């Protein structure tokens, strides 16, 4: 075991950087490894500070592998530090090299935790093509105060996640934000096509799958969970969280489903079939929120698409928390819309929406038309009493609002 007690800078532009059973300790310092490929196996990298701000760790290369029992820590007493693996946030920083593939093994621990009353730090895991994130990631607030930090696990291509949901929890502060951002993602388990394996069509990976259980756990571990995709998000299996704090009392969380590009996109490279296209958007085919089972807490749901939004099931944001139910909010925003089979462009919802506050924005809105399904419901629940929702807002930016 090689031990280094100082900052460490390794830069091999044309070669590989390998840290095998190496321990680096630099209080509040910096460790940077950059090369054609970077590999850490059973390494210990610690730039934590017990008196001040945690340091910085950068692992940057054409490919990055962190495996074995590797631990990377940038904890801080006042403020945790920053860890970047495979690139910067969303791969958008032109001064930071991005990896084509990034792999973090399931025995790896990466932390940027606040100590005592410190705020959590930042952890970024990025790839241009394929991110496999199986590790345990933590950016928590301190035990006696401090807010949670920010964690991103993303790829311009596909991402796979393991059984550990990243956490930005804050026992005595405001929980942080976790961002998952692949090109396209389905939320599913039993109903996943191909058994939930990343689709390989024409030899190129192009669709990511995350389990509904992973989404539920991520909501429990973070104040806000953002699932963002370039083109399509599809909810195939239900997401029904039960949200409690460390004392077992009902708590709250925010779930944001967001697509950032509108219109059709070329899937020819992925499918191997020339001229194939798909339209991007958000499709809700399973319950998100609360069904008939007893659940605790309050979930606020944001559905935000630059493309279409297609909601095919009831959405119920009111839980059965005891001693009284708690209601979350539902916000839907859609850009270029195509929601029903005939190609019309209004936001078209056939089922019931139940929330304390509902805000829907679209070029034109249509509710409950041409359907014998259950009626559209805009209500909130208060104990056993059903009364009109406290806040209902419909905004049509171009066309009419039809009921």
């Amino acid at each position: 075991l090689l031990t280094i007690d100082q900052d460490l800078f390794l830069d091999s532009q044309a070669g590989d950087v390998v840290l095998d059973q190496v321990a680096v300790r630099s209080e509040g310092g910096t460790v940077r490894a950059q090369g054609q490929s970077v590999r850490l196996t059973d390494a210990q990298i610690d730039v934590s500070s017990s008196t001040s701000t945690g340091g910085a760790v950068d692992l940057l290369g054409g490919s990055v592998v962190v495996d074995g029992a590797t631990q990377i820590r940038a904890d801080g007493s006042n403020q945790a530090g920053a860890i970047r693996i495979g690139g910067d946030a969303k791969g958008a920083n032109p001064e930071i090299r991005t990896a084509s593939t990034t792999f973090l093994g399931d025995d790896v621990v990466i932390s940027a935790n606040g100590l005592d009353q410190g705020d959590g730090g930042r952890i970024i895991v990025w790839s241009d093509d394929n991110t496999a994130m199986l590790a345990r990631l933590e950016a928590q607030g301190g035990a006696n105060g401090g807010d949670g930090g920010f964690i991103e696990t993303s790829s311009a291509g596909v991402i796979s996640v393991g059984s550990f949901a990243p956490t930005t929890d804050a026992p005595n502060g405001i929980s942080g934000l976790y961002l998952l951002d692949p090109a396209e993602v389905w939320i599913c388990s039993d109903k996943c096509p191909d058994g939930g394996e990343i689709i390989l069509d024409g030899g190129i990976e192009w669709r990511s799958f995350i389990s509904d259980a992973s989404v539920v756990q991520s909501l429990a571990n973070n104040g806000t969970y953002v699932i963002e995709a370039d083109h399509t998000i599809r909810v195939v299996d239900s997401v029904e969280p039960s949200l409690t704090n460390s004392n077992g009392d009902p708590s709250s969380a925010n779930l944001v489903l967001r697509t950032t590009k509108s219109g059709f996109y070329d899937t020819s490279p992925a499918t191997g079939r020339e001229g194939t296209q798909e339209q991007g958007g958000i499709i809700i085919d399973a319950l998100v929120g609360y069904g008939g089972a007893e659940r605790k807490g309050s979930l606020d749901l944001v559905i935000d698409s630059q493309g279409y939004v297609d909601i095919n099931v009831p959405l119920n944001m009111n839980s059965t928390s005891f001693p009284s139910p708690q209601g979350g909010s539902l916000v839907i925003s859609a850009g270029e819309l195509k929601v029903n089979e005939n190609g019309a462009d209004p936001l078209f919802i056939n089922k019931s929406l139940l929330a304390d506050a509902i805000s829907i924005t679209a070029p034109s809105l249509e509710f409950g038309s041409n359907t014998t399904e259950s009626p559209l419901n805009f209500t909130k629940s208060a104990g056993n009493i059903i009364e009109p929702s406290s806040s209902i807002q419909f905004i049509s930016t171009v066309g009419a609002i039809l009921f």
Side-chain angles (χ1 to χ4, degrees), residues 13-189:
Q13 293 293 332
D16 302 328
V17 176
V18 179
L19 297 176
D20 188 356
Q21 299 186 41
V22 172
V24 181
R25 171 65 180 146
S26 177
E27 178 147 347
T30 301
V31 171
R32 173 180 281 233
Q34 181 169 273
Q36 286 295 102
S37 70
V38 175
R39 174 181 287 272
L40 275 66
T41 305
D42 296 324
Q44 308 293 314
I45 309 295
D46 193 348
V47 294
S48 302
S49 175
S50 59
T51 59
S52 186
T53 301
V57 176
D58 288 339
L59 305 178
L60 308 171
S63 67
V64 178
V65 175
V66 183
D67 207 357
T70 295
Q71 295 188 8
I72 302 172
R73 301 191 181 276
D75 306 330
S77 179
N78 300 330
Q79 167 71 57
I83 299 170
R84 298 183 294 196
I85 301 174
D88 208 343
K90 294 190 175 184
N93 187 341
E95 298 182 357
I96 299 298
R97 182 173 184 172
T98 57
S100 174
T101 60
T102 300
F103 175 86
L104 278 66
D106 56 6
D107 288 328
V108 172
V109 177
I110 298 174
S111 71
N113 291 326
L115 305 175
D116 191 22
Q117 299 184 33
D119 293 335
R122 292 173 62 85
I123 300 174
I124 308 294
V125 180
W126 170 264
S127 77
D128 293 336
D129 297 319
N130 192 325
T131 296
M133 208 297 295
L134 312 178
R136 185 186 300 272
L137 306 185
E138 302 173 352
Q140 302 177 98
N144 298 311
D147 298 331
F150 173 79
I151 296 176
E152 175 185 345
T153 59
S154 296
S155 176
V158 297
I159 184 170
S160 54
V161 297
S163 59
F164 300 120
T167 177
T168 63
D169 189 27
N172 288 288
I174 300 172
S175 295
L177 187 149
Y178 170 39
L179 168 66
L180 183 139
D181 183 10
E184 177 177 340
V185 63
W186 285 29
I187 300 171
C188 53
S189 290

Side-chain angles (χ1 to χ4, degrees), residues 210-292:
I210 57 174
S211 71
D212 50 302
S214 170
V215 175
V216 168
Q217 189 58 52
S218 293
L219 286 169
N221 288 359
N222 303 278
T224 299
Y225 183 23
V226 179
I227 300 174
E228 184 173 298
D230 287 344
H231 301 295
T232 301
I233 297 173
R234 186 164 193 160
V235 180
V236 182
D237 283 296
S238 62
V239 176
E240 299 182 69
S242 188
L243 303 171
T244 60
N245 59 22
S246 57
N247 298 321
D249 298 323
S251 63
S252 62
N254 306 301
L255 176 60
V256 179
L257 304 178
R258 176 183 296 131
T259 57
T260 58
K261 295 182 180 179
S262 62
F264 287 85
Y265 61 101
D266 184 14
T267 57
S268 299
T271 62
R273 296 186 295 272
E274 185 177 352
T276 56
Q277 289 189 328
E278 291 188 10
Q279 187 181 17
I282 298 176
I283 306 165
I284 310 294
D285 285 333
L287 175 69
V288 180
Y290 299 99

